[in-house]
Amino acid sequence: MSPSQPVISCRNVWKLFGPRPESYLAGLDPAAGFDAIRADGYVPAVRDVSLDIARGEMLVIMGLSGSGKSTLVRCMSRLIEITGGEIDVDGRVIGALSERELIDLRRNKMGMVFQNFGLLPHRTVLDNVAFPLEMRGQDIHARRARALEVIELVGLAGREDYFPRELSGGQQQRVGIARSLAIEPDIWFLDEPFSALDPLIRREMQDEFLRLQAMLGKTIVFITHDFDEALRLADRIAIMKDGAVEQCDRPDRIVMNPATDYVAKFIEDVEKARVVHARALAQPVDGQTLTGAPVDGSKTISQLARLLVNDDRAILPVSGPDGRVIGAMDRQQALDVLLGAAQ
Amino acid sequence: MTVAATNASAPMRPQSRPRMAQFLFAAALCLAVAKLALPDGLVRPPDWLVWPFADWFNAVFSFIRDDLGLIHVTRAFADGLESVLDVTANLLYGKNRWPRLGPIPWSVIAITAAMIGYAINGWRLAAFAGLTFVWIAAMGQWQWAMETLSVIIVAAPVSVFLGLLLGTMGWKSARFRLVLNPLLNVAQSLPHFAYMIPVVVFIGVGAKAGAIVTIIFSVPPMIRMTMLGLQKVPSEVVEAGHMAGATRWQLLRHVRLPTARTELLVGVNQVIMQCLAMVVLASFIGMPGLGQKLLQLLQALKIGRSIEIGITIVLLAIMLDRCSKAWAVKQPVHLEKGTSWLMRHKLLVIWAALVAVFWALSLVFPILHEIGRRDALSLAAPLDAIMDWIIGTLDPVTQWLRWFLIVWVLIPLRDGMLWLPFSAVLVFLMAVGWAIGGKRSALVCLGYFGLIAMSGWWDRAMITVYTVTFAVFIATLIGFPLGIWGSRSKARAQAVLLVCDTLQTFPSFIYLIPVIMLFGVNDVAVVGAVVLFAAVPLVRYTIEGLRGVPEAQIEAADMSGATRRQTLWSVRLPLALPTIMVGVNQSVMFSLFMVIIAAFIGTQDLGQEMQRALSSSDVGKGLVLGLAVSFMGLMVDHLITVWANRRRRALGLS
Ligand SMILES: Nc1ncnc2c1ncn2[C@@H]1O[C@H](COP(=O)(O)OP(=O)(O)OP(=O)(O)O)[C@@H](O)[C@H]1O
Ligand SMILES: [Mg+2]
């Protein structure tokens, strides 16, 4: 397994819900659209999705309700069998794993936070969090100690003995997060993990995840409805519509070059200046003469707003991470991003 | 005509259904009117139509029993069960068997019951449970009550275990479910006696047989609740289990079964109540205990003493029901951190202490150990006096009612029912089926009643049909207005529902006491018991249906200026009708059970034959009779379910 090999690789993955999906898919006209499939009585929850997720990457999946985000993630963890295509995890075809191998994979490599938490109602917070460890056969003292550690981490210390029913929605969600943290998985599926949290804790949790990812190199697939959250976290964003991935790219590229009308509409309300980095606007220098101090390419346009408004150069040099000039940015174009194009 | 109906294209369906039904109604009427001109073969099932099912059943049974040697298996199982029964019998009432520790003093058992009540639901249940046992001891019924309880204590857990096992298998395998579901339907509509006969053949009579018949009878609801509970586990919880890397067994043991807790405990509640109902009835196959005593006293018409026993059975029923229901809804609550061991196990410690204290006291004061015949209280004398007075006062009324009902209602109805040609009845039922659910339902009706005709018990079956029909009719006349009255206000509805709930926990046997008291041993008493028993679900579902009508609909009616009466008749009742019909369905089911049970006080229907089959241990006959009763119930169940579902859909309620 080479380091450049993707951790998860989906190739033409289909998931249809309906009476006899396999045979239907086999006879399906490749050009058939969402509505045609629906009209035949099938729900195409995932449609011909191809994606590679690299080690240590954080991929954020976005899309409207019912667009198939949760289903795609369930396919990746093989909680549901796919109808067509192939998914590789760590270089192994996940659909071909035996029950035993699958259990081992989940015990050692995967973790998941569920949209509706999926807590066991008859177990205390502590026992819920320790559950994956218990399934692995860890002894009671070790698993209690580990569970207490992660409970502390999500800010639920002191509530170990509560039952899920006795907690608020946000607290329950944090129990779900703690449970998936307990085994320190390499691959992490997070289905709207922060949806029920208040802004403060949400931010703390986001930081915690960024820290873990940077430190331990986790591969994370993250579903959210919140664009700000996506921007904060994502290496890449995949935008889904009716089961298909419309575009999967770096956030600023999506914002600058939406691949389809749908994506364009989807990001309509996003404040571009907060997404786009100066380096994304940098053009090759092409022998122009650049004057003055370069701007930092890793800053967003909104961070550079004051400078852009006050500076009077038409072309600004942009510097890379090492301080060398990597290109030139048209100030007018940057101002268009900041203020919206002139009508 | 049939061809036209099947080939009719979809838009024509709604029209062809009533037309076909009308045609069948007319045909039935013609058959009835032209009875004298009909050939004999259309009046009564001809010989070639009556198949010797009973002989076949008997052949199969004796093959299984003797040739396959199943009798050894059942005997071995029964012997195993008996040794467990001996233990509880020794502990509870001192039967001279291993471990020879008993009997436990009654005061200790009473305090234990109170502690269980407290742990489950607080002071009130504690007081109720404790006082129930005090009453039993004080009335000198300890021995009999413990004979009954010692069987329940063994039978209920075995039932629960078997139900869990079969229910899990049914949940797991669709193919198994395909076999299981129809079996459960029949099993749950089979009258109690039908279970007893095979048990008598395989096991014999006595406590052992009583326990086994109780187990068999009480398993079906547990199987159903297990399947339901496992199906209802939220998929995300199961997925969380998968992601934790749980194996199949771990998933079942740690995720699915615990999450289905509430349904499983509701199943346990039903098992316990079924056990109690059956254990009382098992007196017919020599099971000692409260049921046997009650049977003897009723047959001897000792009203006062049978009321005493009746009260005991009722108290036990309420106590068992409340405890198990409270357990089902009780949710775990966390303890504060740093609670000491003693505080965590506070109730256990207190219980142990109390047991020690009462045991010691009972050594000093024998009255706390056992209340002998001589010290026992009895309300029989005053009760008898009161009853005599009541009966005496009511006598003119009851006499007249009895005379009126027998001479003017029951006998003419019965004669009319028997007069009808069987072909007319079958065609009429098909017409009803067709009107309600089209061809399929018509065939279902024909199938069920055709089989009854083929069983050779047509006349007896018609007597059962007439008793049940008449009783349900009267029950509707009583239950329906009572339900409307009860649904007027929320508080009243709650109160009436509580009464209904409580009445429904009583073993059916209990309902015989008041009617025998008032009417003596005859047909009217049977009808009376059936009416009482069948009115309860009607009241209950009428109230639930009426209270369940969405508030918005009622407000809309109020806003359009409807009077209360108009709202009731044109808004509430139509919307509540599907639910009310579920009550009618249950009421028919209950009536069938009751008619068969009441047979021992003298009827001429299937029940009487069932009693005969029981006393001659005729498995085949008993099973045929039982199935005949079950088919009646299943037919009504089918019709009402189809109707109610269609109605609900039409009203947009489902
Ligand atoms: N078990 C199932 N059977 C049939 N259809 C299903 C099933 N699960 C999901 N679907 C359908 O698949 C589609 C995608 O569902 P999915 O749960 O993946 O949406 P989602 O993008 O996660 O939406 P949300 O943001 O609301 O969580 C929906 O149309 C849904 O109705
Ligand atoms: Mg989702």
Side-chain angles (χ1 to χ4, degrees), chain A residues 231-243:
Chain A
L231 293 178
R232 242 173 91 72
L233 300 173
D235 292 317
R236 282 191 302 159
I237 297 180
I239 293 181
M240 290 187 76
K241 177 192 180 228
D242 294 346

Side-chain angles (χ1 to χ4, degrees), chain B residues 243-265:
Chain B
M243 284 313 287
T247 60
R248 286 177 195 212
W249 167 245
Q250 284 175 324
L251 267 182
L252 188 66
R253 161 84 182 69
H254 295 288
V255 178
R256 290 203 160 102
L257 287 176
T259 308
R261 176 184 182 276
T262 305
E263 280 80 15
L264 297 183
L265 288 182

